[in-house]
Amino acid sequence: MAGRIKTDDIALVKERSSIEDVVREHVTLRPAGPGSMKGLCPFHDEKTPSFTIRPAVGAWHCFGCGEGGDVISFVQKVEHLTFTESVERLAGKLGLELHYEEGGRPRDGESLGRRSRLVEAHRAAQEFYLERLLESQEARIGRDFLRERGFGGDAARRFGVGFAPRGGEELSRHLRAKGFSDEELVLGGLSGRGSRGIYDRFRGRLVWPIRDITGDTVGFGARRLYDDDRIAAKYLNTSETPIYKKSTVLYGLDLAKKAIAAERKAVVVEGYTDVMACHLAGVEGAVASCGTAFGVDHIKVLRRIMRDEADLAPARVVFTFDGDAAGQKAAMKAFGEDQRWASQSFVAVAEGGMDPCELRIAQGDDAVRHLVDDAVPMFEFAVRTTIARFDMSTAEGRVQAMRAAAPIVNSIRDSSMRPEYVRTVAGWIGVEVEQVQAEVARAGRIAARDAQKDVGPSANLPDADAVPEPSEQEARAALPPPDLRDPIVFAERQLLQTVLQYPGSFSPADLDAIEPTAFTAPAHRAVFDGIRGAGGPQPGLSAKAWADRVTEAAPLSVRGLVAELAVAALPTRMDKATGLPERRYVDALLVRVQEVTLTRKIADAMSAMRRMAADPHSDPARARALSAELQDLQRELAQLRERAS
């Protein structure tokens, strides 16, 4: 029976183990005040980091889920180990020899816990496979396979690629000779058990070691090499075991995590050779799922490493997919999970549908780097893939494309970006912006109806086409809060603050020059409606009386926002002579908001010109008039920006 680890040894392991180093294997940390560091919790999904460690006291705590403890409890929870296994794992990393009470020994005479035994068996198997690939005559077929794809012996060593002999029992005999039992080999997925005993799980295949985030080999992926292989599947992977869970493991993550954390960028590819090609080409943040689709748990792992946090500048995740139907299906599945990221998602597809490995062979390392650098936003790829199914040379095709794209536009997380995406999609399809707006609104109502189905009875709900357009009052009652991370929205807020607090800073002409649609945030637009409804600032009217008038004229849904804007501090200095904000500050705000309207009008005019250029029956006179209008708008924008400078 196993003896208990001596208390003094446990204390020594805790004392010498750096909780910062141990946690960093799973979470990217950043300073969080004196003596503290924080990151995204590995035990629950979150957008803002609440997982905190204090290295000086060796403790961790998550203020989101309430979990906490010391370095041993962290290893227990994150790696699903017992207390004893966790102490043994930490001691192994430190090179400490553990002593047990009453002359006891580790479990069943082993020198390590079960997990460590299985990891050690996989390490020995990986060394065996690699040696066979590099040295045995039988493995020539495997070396040829790698060489044809641009990988030599150095690459094989770097990634630990090996060859499983065809005999069927060579690995099992090798590991038995090293002291591993048949039960351990079967439990770890290295061997299978038949009527005549155990046999090697992988036979006559090229094998890649699958490592966890700490670098321990926990499984293998094996590629078919022989046409007469009795197992027809091109790839085989280790079945799930106590140390291998395919939904949480990413191939190459042990090599990529440093680059991912430093650059806050991850590249998700589809195969083992794609990971190798990317790393060798200088794209060192590349990873791939193993024997399963890239899923929710994989997202959680990458988010922790790349600090995919809502209060930081957006990180970047790039998916590379084959250009075939399966690749497009995978891309659309990834888009379906896009809401789980705070980061910006992109898609890279090489010309001709080549994967990164094929691209490196055909065009070299630079082409792989350019593929990743030139990735297009996930939204754009999703829409273009969707509308490509329709014949947009016909009116019917354009309507079908518009209806298919509308739910994608409606699903965009940042609602303030939807108007611009609406204009963009209208240009791609060749329809009017208003048509796409109507379809996106319809898609939103359908989504709302479906959401209501999920939370309660909906038998009496009308069909989507029968759902009435919401009234203006109803629409404003559900206005989203302005996203102040957007610099344009932040400028809008400052302009409204200045109008409410210092109405004497504006002439009637200043406010008349602003169109209500210039405000991108719906709540800000509603406040400006209230300002206009109050008749505009008037001489002799106090700021308090003015704010009261605006409050009365504003919709009920934004009266609280009016009160907030009327007292919130302005980030600028006051003119000592007038007691008002400096004029250049006021002018800069006016210009910024007016610029939005002009930019939108220019985009609309250019979109109309593109559609006319594609239409052989367009009216030349209308085209000339539109061109003149566009030039006037561009001239007006240039003058506005010159005024700002």
Side-chain angles (χ1 to χ4, degrees):
M1 181 176 177
R4 294 175 56 190
I5 302 172
K6 287 192 173 183
T7 304
D8 289 346
D9 283 1
I10 295 173
L12 186 61
V13 167
K14 288 176 63 175
E15 178 186 340
R16 293 193 181 179
S17 295
S18 164
I19 193 167
E20 180 180 345
D21 291 344
V22 172
V23 170
R24 279 191 186 278
E25 292 181 343
H26 303 271
V27 179
T28 298
L29 299 169
R30 60 183 169 110
S36 297
M37 308 189 81
K38 68 179 180 179
L40 293 174
C41 180
F43 308 123
H44 81 286
D45 200 13
E46 60 180 1
K47 291 289 179 69
T48 302
S50 56
F51 178 87
T52 304
I53 69 165
R54 291 185 61 83
V57 297
W60 63 277
H61 182 80
C62 177
F63 292 92
C65 65
E67 295 285 351
D70 57 19
V71 67
I72 296 175
S73 67
F74 179 82
V75 173
Q76 274 186 270
K77 189 167 180 64
V78 80
E79 300 192 18
H80 308 288
L81 304 179
T82 65
F83 177 85
T84 300
E85 288 174 331
S86 300
V87 175
E88 290 171 345
R89 180 163 175 74
L90 290 168
K93 288 187 174 184
L94 295 168
L96 290 176
E97 181 182 354
L98 296 175
H99 304 87
Y100 295 79
E101 300 287 357
E102 302 173 358
R105 299 174 299 174
R107 288 169 298 287
D108 301 325
E110 300 167 359
S111 61
L112 298 169
R114 184 181 73 171
R115 184 189 191 283
S116 297
R117 288 283 296 175
L118 297 181
V119 168
E120 180 63 18
H122 278 76
R123 184 194 63 77
Q126 188 261 309
E127 291 178 349
F128 171 84
Y129 287 143
L130 175 62
E131 185 272 333
R132 286 304 177 97
L133 174 69
L134 298 177
E135 304 295 337
S136 73
Q137 180 63 31
E138 182 189 17
R140 180 173 180 176
I141 187 174
R143 294 192 294 270
D144 290 343
F145 177 93
L146 292 174
R147 194 174 298 112
E148 290 169 0
R149 287 156 181 77
F151 307 125
D154 289 342
R157 293 184 186 90
R158 176 174 172 178
F159 294 94
V161 187
F163 177 79
R166 300 194 78 182
E169 298 179 0
E170 295 179 48
L171 175 68
S172 299
R173 286 198 300 266
H174 175 78
L175 294 179
R176 277 171 169 168
K178 287 186 170 290
F180 295 100
S181 67
D182 288 1
E183 288 70 24
E184 287 173 329
L185 300 186
V186 173
L187 181 64
L190 294 167
S191 301
R193 191 185 299 277
S195 58
R196 293 183 294 178
I198 66 170
Y199 57 87
D200 294 350
R201 174 79 169 83
F202 304 115
R203 301 179 296 279
R205 290 185 173 238
L206 202 61
V207 291
W208 283 264
I210 299 171
R211 302 183 179 113
D212 65 14
I213 195 171
T214 68
D216 287 338
T217 299
V218 294
F220 292 93
R223 209 272 187 195
R224 188 172 188 253
L225 294 174
Y226 295 95
D227 293 337
D228 61 351
D229 192 324
R230 289 185 299 173
I231 300 176
K234 181 185 289 187
Y235 282 95
L236 289 178
N237 287 83
T238 298
S239 301
E240 297 224 338
T241 70
I243 63 172
Y244 176 67
K245 299 290 184 291
K246 63 184 179 182
S247 64
T248 61
V249 174
L250 288 166
Y251 177 71
L253 185 59
D254 57 309
L255 301 175
K257 65 180 180 181
K258 183 176 180 180
I260 292 174
E263 300 174 16
R264 298 190 64 229
K265 181 174 80 172
V267 179
V268 182
V269 299
E270 294 196 288
Y272 305 124
T273 56
D274 293 334
V275 171
M276 294 173 69
C278 284
H279 280 251
L280 294 175
V283 182
E284 297 183 342
V287 296
S289 57
C290 307
T292 186
F294 185 85
V296 174
D297 290 331
H298 296 128
I299 293 174
K300 292 178 182 178
V301 171
L302 287 182
R303 289 192 63 234
R304 292 198 301 270
I305 297 172
M306 66 198 302
R307 289 189 294 138
D308 182 35
E309 303 166 13
D311 58 347
L312 294 179
R316 184 180 175 102
V317 57
V318 179
F319 294 88
T320 70
F321 296 108
D322 295 343
D324 57 14
Q328 291 185 357
K329 182 178 179 181
M332 295 305 293
K333 183 179 185 299
F335 179 76
E337 301 293 348
D338 190 55
Q339 305 292 332
R340 297 182 182 274
W341 300 92
S343 64
Q344 295 175 335
S345 301
F346 295 80
V347 174
V349 178
E351 292 184 11
M354 290 186 288
D355 59 38
C357 182
E358 294 167 337
L359 185 62
R360 180 171 178 262
I361 296 169
Q363 300 179 28
D365 292 346
D366 285 347
V368 177
R369 292 192 292 270
H370 291 155
L371 172 69
V372 174
D373 292 341
D374 297 340
V376 300
M378 176 74 78
F379 160 80
E380 177 178 337
F381 182 84
V383 172
R384 287 191 180 276
T385 299
T386 298
I387 66 178
R389 306 196 310 264
F390 305 100
D391 179 6
M392 286 178 285
S393 66
T394 67
E396 293 80 5
R398 289 193 293 273
V399 170
Q400 291 170 341
M402 189 167 54
R403 288 181 174 171
I408 299 176
V409 179
N410 181 68
S411 70
I412 294 169
R413 286 171 296 186
D414 188 348
S415 59
S416 66
M417 294 297 295
R418 286 179 195 160
E420 184 57 36
Y421 284 132
V422 164
R423 284 188 288 277
T424 301
V425 172
W428 290 341
I429 298 175
V431 295
E432 295 294 337
V433 173
E434 292 75 17
Q435 291 177 269
V436 180
Q437 284 176 331
E439 282 299 330
V440 172
R442 179 174 177 271
R445 296 196 300 276
I446 292 173
R449 181 197 65 183
D450 291 344
Q452 188 171 350
K453 279 184 179 179
D454 293 338
V455 298
S458 57
N460 297 323
L461 280 176
D463 291 338
D465 288 332
V467 177
E469 291 286 345
S471 68
E472 185 177 0
Q473 184 177 2
E474 291 171 332
R476 285 177 175 167
L479 294 179
D483 184 0
L484 298 182
R485 295 172 299 178
D486 184 331
I488 293 176
V489 176
F490 190 54
E492 294 172 4
R493 176 186 172 89
Q494 293 177 69
L495 177 62
L496 294 174
Q497 285 178 256
T498 310
V499 173
L500 288 167
Q501 297 177 30
Y502 302 97
S505 296
F506 300 89
S507 68
D510 287 335
L511 298 183
D512 288 344
I514 301 174
E515 297 182 13
T517 55
F519 291 89
T520 59
H524 288 168
R525 193 178 308 139
V527 172
F528 189 69
D529 286 347
I531 290 171
R532 287 199 158 184
Q538 299 171 11
L541 193 66
S542 69
K544 181 180 184 306
W546 164 237
D548 288 343
R549 282 195 182 185
V550 175
T551 301
E552 291 177 6
L556 288 172
S557 59
V558 294
R559 288 184 179 179
L561 179 58
V562 172
E564 176 189 333
L565 295 172
V567 299
L570 279 170
T572 187
R573 294 179 298 181
M574 298 295 133
D575 187 303
K576 293 181 180 179
T578 64
L580 300 174
E582 294 181 341
R583 188 62 208 180
R584 61 180 180 178
Y585 171 74
V586 175
D587 284 342
L589 294 176
L590 287 168
V591 167
R592 190 67 184 272
V593 173
Q594 291 171 25
E595 194 176 33
V596 172
T597 302
L598 283 173
T599 302
R600 183 182 301 125
K601 288 181 177 179
I602 289 170
D604 289 345
M606 292 181 69
S607 176
M609 288 186 67
R610 284 194 295 269
R611 290 195 300 274
M612 292 185 73
D615 182 2
H617 304 293
S618 61
D619 181 2
R622 171 60 182 151
R624 287 193 296 271
L626 192 57
S627 177
E629 178 186 343
L630 179 59
Q631 290 176 5
D632 289 342
L633 289 169
Q634 290 172 331
R635 190 179 302 111
E636 187 178 350
L637 180 60
Q639 291 171 348
L640 189 67
R641 287 173 173 169
E642 183 178 351
R643 172 186 163 193
S645 64

